[in-house]
Amino acid sequence: MRIVNIHEAKTQLSRLVEQAVAGEPFTIAKAGRPLVKVMALDAAEPGQEQRLGFMAGRFQVPDDFDRMGDETIEKLFGGEQ
């Protein structure tokens, strides 16, 4: 993540905010010490992305999904030796 000193943040705030909205968050630091993180409001925190439904509509699950491989499983674990 990009670190910007507080003076640069003051002078280039508009450009930095536009970049944050575009998905490039940044940290504002004072005397080299990070103070705040600036990111778009709708951006997910790292590690907290909502994964449920992230592939909706990208593929279809076959109707017999729960029965796929039944014959192979039966041969491996069934009564046949």
Side-chain angles (χ1 to χ4, degrees):
M1 180 176 300
R2 181 176 173 195
I3 297 177
V4 177
N5 69 48
I6 201 160
H7 176 70
E8 181 183 354
K10 284 188 214 179
T11 60
Q12 300 193 18
L13 184 61
S14 294
R15 181 180 57 82
L16 291 169
V17 168
E18 287 177 15
Q19 290 175 347
V21 169
E24 300 174 37
F26 62 95
T27 300
I28 298 176
K30 184 175 184 178
R33 195 180 102 224
L35 298 175
V36 296
K37 180 172 141 182
V38 180
M39 58 190 291
L41 285 176
D42 61 352
E45 288 284 338
Q48 294 180 341
E49 295 180 22
Q50 293 187 358
R51 304 290 294 170
L52 187 61
F54 74 103
M55 300 229 12
R58 294 193 182 181
F59 62 92
Q60 291 184 342
V61 177
D63 291 334
D64 65 344
F65 175 77
D66 59 339
R67 295 182 304 279
M68 293 174 68
D70 279 354
E71 293 174 16
T72 304
I73 293 170
E74 182 64 34
K75 287 178 186 176
L76 292 171
F77 299 102
E80 294 181 27
Q81 298 286 337

